[in-house]
Amino acid sequence: METTVIVGHNEDGTDKTIKLRSSAAVPRDYRIKFNSDIFVDMDKLLTEFRDVMTISDAKKAEIGEDITEEQLQEIDNDTTKRFLSTDILQIFEQIGYIMARAGDPKHTPTDIDEWLNGLETFAIYDILPKILEIWNFETEQRAVPKKE
């Protein structure tokens, strides 16, 4: 499965996008590139993300229905900085990079730092749900268990 995510704007004002793709090759590519198990790392990422979202949702609920877009962005940025560890952010970057390489290998550099330097700062809350969506689609059980 693949999806396209807006990660900023080009100089001409158009949306800057990246194509993310999940496939059977992604876990292998991840293991080779980062010497780590994507299933273990994705579980860590998901667990911490859920915890952070609980904190973020509580802050938003305190403000109520009159919350502005600026306040939403401030809460998301503050929550990300305070509660997501650098290890988790690194996992997020690595998974995003591998999925971007799978989605558009011709336009994604072979070096993760070069890829990250080509992106604007973006909210993890905008991209992570898309990564989780395509990851869950690829990893959900598709076979129907046989009854004994």
Side-chain angles (χ1 to χ4, degrees):
M1 180 176 177
E2 57 184 51
T3 189
T4 301
V5 180
I6 298 170
V7 293
H9 301 287
N10 296 310
E11 291 180 15
D12 64 0
T14 59
D15 290 338
K16 183 173 190 172
T17 62
I18 56 174
K19 188 188 310 183
L20 302 174
R21 183 171 186 258
S22 181
S23 71
V26 165
R28 180 181 176 278
D29 293 345
Y30 188 85
R31 185 178 63 253
I32 290 169
K33 182 77 173 174
F34 301 112
N35 197 30
S36 190
D37 184 330
I38 194 170
F39 295 99
V40 172
D41 287 352
M42 187 64 84
D43 186 55
K44 289 178 191 174
L45 178 63
L46 184 57
T47 299
E48 191 153 338
F49 181 69
R50 284 181 180 151
D51 292 347
V52 167
M53 288 306 295
T54 301
I55 294 166
S56 178
D57 290 345
K59 288 182 176 186
K60 292 172 186 174
E62 284 179 23
I63 296 174
E65 292 179 18
D66 296 332
I67 193 166
T68 66
E69 188 65 37
E70 186 176 286
Q71 288 172 313
L72 284 171
Q73 188 67 38
E74 185 178 322
I75 289 170
D76 286 347
N77 290 338
D78 183 55
T79 307
T80 301
K81 288 176 192 171
R82 288 185 174 199
F83 298 104
L84 284 180
S85 69
T86 54
D87 291 342
I88 295 300
L89 289 174
Q90 182 177 9
I91 289 170
F92 167 71
E93 293 166 353
Q94 291 173 180
I95 292 171
Y97 171 74
I98 289 296
M99 289 184 172
R101 284 279 303 161
D104 190 6
K106 290 182 181 178
H107 296 102
T108 306
T110 56
D111 179 69
I112 188 171
D113 291 327
E114 186 179 339
W115 178 71
L116 288 169
N117 284 329
L119 301 175
E120 293 179 23
T121 302
F122 50 82
I124 189 173
Y125 301 103
D126 296 335
I127 297 173
L128 186 57
K130 295 289 188 182
I131 288 175
L132 295 174
E133 177 184 320
I134 64 174
W135 178 254
N136 287 332
F137 179 80
E138 286 298 323
T139 59
E140 69 186 10
Q141 182 178 356
R142 289 192 167 69
V144 177
K146 295 180 182 178
K147 293 182 181 180
E148 292 186 26

